[in-house]
Amino acid sequence: MKVKQIFLALLFVCAFMTTAIQASSQEHQAVPATATAEEGSVKHAYQPKSLSQLAVSFWETTGLRAIFDTDDGEMAIDPSGKSKPMSAFESSLGRIIMILIVFILFYLAIAKGFEPLLLIPIAFGGLLANIPLAHMTGPHGMLGVIYNMGIANEFFPLLIFMGVGAMTDFGPLLANPKTALLGGAAQFGIFGSLVGAVALGFDLQSASAISIIGGADGPTSIFIANRLAPEMLGAIAVAAYSYMALVPVIQPPIMKLLTTEEERKIQMGIQRKVHSREKLIFPIVVLMLSILILPESTPLIGAFAFGNFAKESGVVDRLSDTMQNALINTVTIFLGLGVGSKLAADKFLVIESLGIMIIGLLAFSAGTAMGVIMAKIMNKFSKEPINPLIGAAGVSAVPMAARVVSKVGSDAKPGNILLMHAMGPNVAGVIGSAVAAGVLLSIFK
Amino acid sequence: MEVNVIGEALKFMVLGMGVVFIFLYVMILSVKIQAYVIGKYFPDKVPASTPSPATAASENAEEKARVAAVIAAVTEFRKNKS
């Protein structure tokens, strides 16, 4: 009896040892780099260094040297893993300029309150991207990982669209559907600046990618830039988001220039009450239309319609709540940092960026102007008065543009509340710029 | 072959603005049809839903009356007992 037990125990020990040896030999195969080390223990080679050698090697890893020693041959790595040597300007003065730009963005966000939710993550991403030697934008750096995770594959813009859909109330648009045309007119910003960009010497495809800034829609801009001109994504996204942040500065002068004092004082009637079923069916209607007319735009409109349908269905409040709060906030953090990674000196400080910023500004202004002009025309022919200011909300920066309209309206005449009237063109602008994006994609497919 | 890029861009503009306006115009039409159909065949549910808080309030009142009656009965009963 006892012999049998001992025999069994021995058998177990043997079995265990063979598996252990097998495992260790597999380890050796898996890691050929440690093949020189004997018996599985790794020994790192080290040669004694003097104190001065230590000090020199430390100096070589400091940021001070990386910035001020211009011919150190530092490499710039982008998220796809490609690397190129940085020029002396990029690794020294360029970085300092970019860090100063980042501080200006911080100032605008904190002191002036321009879209801090976007500018703070973008600017901080830009700060991190300009750190020397840390390679944060490389494929294994934090910013590079974020970039590959959701910007290079266009995933984050769609998630943002889902959240925007869940936040959007189509009530004002459904109550006064003809204001949707204003959201269409403002898309002139896209196509007008397309002509401008071509005139400046960009090729047609890059010009299309740049002109989408005129849609005043960050996610759409990223989506299109990725498809048409990925090398310009950084500057396009930064331009789109900075101009969205600057809506309260850019729009009012144009609006005041194109309207008279009397026109700004026009009051609009009370909107009719919208049936909840209309709101429920609307996202499906829009999606069906885009399926029939322009399937290229369905990634954007589909995500938007899903978010809105979840909200209006009224039975999945938990999901719609997550989309409009937790999810969109999380994605905004990642999107901001990822876009900010393109503020690295070697990517941003190129002459094209300047062109992109100029065309972006033109696009934005043209969109605003066309929206206002369209609203003036509609006011002439409409039975109910239409305040031309609401045309400016046709650029889709939701809800910033509508708030600006409301503010300019109440400045002209206290108590003139245009917010809900401006929301109609505003949400139509979102749909309009997604459609315009689909048209541009259809041209270059 | 020299491509007149400005001309091409202008063509894009015509196509793009045309499609955007057609899309939004069809959307406006369908919204109007939808509003008409819903208004006609699915009359506003709002009056049907508003009574619910009202009934809740009346139920509340009923409940209060019942509680008052019970209290009154109990005090009466105790008075008789003593």
Side-chain angles (χ1 to χ4, degrees), chain A residues 173 176-182 378 382-384 386, chain B residues 28 32:
Chain A
L173 180 66
N176 199 356
K178 66 173 179 288
T179 55
L181 289 179
L182 300 173
M378 282 173 73
S382 165
K383 276 167 278 172
E384 310 123 43
I386 292 175
Chain B
I28 291 170
K32 281 186 173 161

Side-chain angles (χ1 to χ4, degrees), chain B residues 30-69:
Chain B
S30 40
V31 164
K32 281 186 173 161
I33 295 168
Q34 171 197 336
Y36 174 77
V37 170
I38 289 177
K40 189 164 183 189
Y41 297 105
F42 303 93
D44 221 346
K45 276 261 179 83
V46 178
S49 62
T50 36
S52 62
T55 47
S58 64
E59 264 169 27
N60 224 6
E62 228 167 70
E63 186 70 21
K64 270 182 191 159
R66 206 176 296 154
V67 169

Side-chain angles (χ1 to χ4, degrees), chain A residues 205-271:
Chain A
Q205 192 158 339
S206 315
S208 304
I210 298 166
S211 63
I212 197 75
I213 299 171
D217 199 322
T220 311
S221 304
I222 292 175
F223 189 81
I224 291 296
N226 234 334
R227 290 277 182 93
L228 298 183
E231 70 283 355
M232 293 183 181
L233 174 69
I236 291 174
V238 171
Y241 278 113
S242 1
Y243 290 137
M244 273 170 75
L246 291 174
V247 159
V249 183
I250 299 172
Q251 284 200 318
I254 300 169
M255 289 153 74
K256 284 178 185 155
L257 191 72
L258 289 170
T259 52
T260 61
E261 188 71 30
E262 277 64 49
E263 282 172 328
R264 287 201 289 278
K265 283 183 179 164
I266 293 174
Q267 271 184 310
M268 296 179 69
I270 296 162
Q271 291 178 337

Side-chain angles (χ1 to χ4, degrees), chain A residues 164-385:
Chain A
V164 172
M167 282 199 255
T168 302
D169 179 8
F170 279 111
L173 180 66
L174 293 167
N176 199 356
K178 66 173 179 288
T179 55
L181 289 179
L182 300 173
Q187 305 315 317
F188 176 76
I190 294 178
F191 296 103
S193 63
L194 173 60
V195 179
V198 169
L200 267 187
F202 287 98
D203 64 279
L204 277 169
Q205 192 158 339
S206 315
S208 304
I210 298 166
S211 63
I212 197 75
I213 299 171
D217 199 322
T220 311
S221 304
I222 292 175
F223 189 81
I224 291 296
N226 234 334
R227 290 277 182 93
L228 298 183
E231 70 283 355
M232 293 183 181
L233 174 69
I236 291 174
V238 171
Y241 278 113
S242 1
Y243 290 137
M244 273 170 75
L246 291 174
V247 159
V249 183
I250 299 172
Q251 284 200 318
I254 300 169
M255 289 153 74
K256 284 178 185 155
L257 191 72
L258 289 170
T259 52
T260 61
E261 188 71 30
E262 277 64 49
E263 282 172 328
R264 287 201 289 278
K265 283 183 179 164
I266 293 174
Q267 271 184 310
M268 296 179 69
I270 296 162
Q271 291 178 337
R272 77 173 172 93
K273 205 163 162 39
V274 176
H275 198 291
S276 61
R277 284 190 200 195
E278 285 178 59
K279 289 192 191 175
L280 177 64
I281 295 170
F282 183 71
I284 302 293
V285 168
V286 173
L287 186 57
M288 289 297 162
L289 284 178
S290 58
I291 289 170
L292 293 177
I293 298 176
L294 208 63
E296 291 274 0
S297 67
T298 44
L300 289 165
I301 293 187
F304 190 73
F306 169 60
N308 193 251
F309 191 69
K311 169 179 178 261
E312 299 298 350
S313 70
V315 288
V316 285
D317 283 345
R318 282 164 45 180
L319 303 189
S320 101
D321 177 64
T322 301
M323 280 188 254
Q324 50 184 296
N325 296 300
L327 182 65
I328 199 168
N329 289 346
T330 312
V331 177
T332 303
I333 294 172
F334 288 149
L335 190 79
L337 288 175
V339 168
S341 75
K342 291 286 174 183
L343 282 175
D346 57 291
K347 312 240 170 32
F348 195 78
L349 287 178
V350 288
I351 194 73
E352 281 90 358
S353 296
L354 193 64
I356 291 170
M357 296 308 270
I358 292 170
I359 294 164
L361 182 62
L362 284 180
F364 227 92
S365 314
T368 306
M370 204 60 182
V372 174
I373 292 168
M374 183 79 182
K376 282 178 84 141
I377 296 170
M378 282 173 73
N379 184 35
K380 289 267 188 304
F381 293 100
S382 165
K383 276 167 278 172
E384 310 123 43

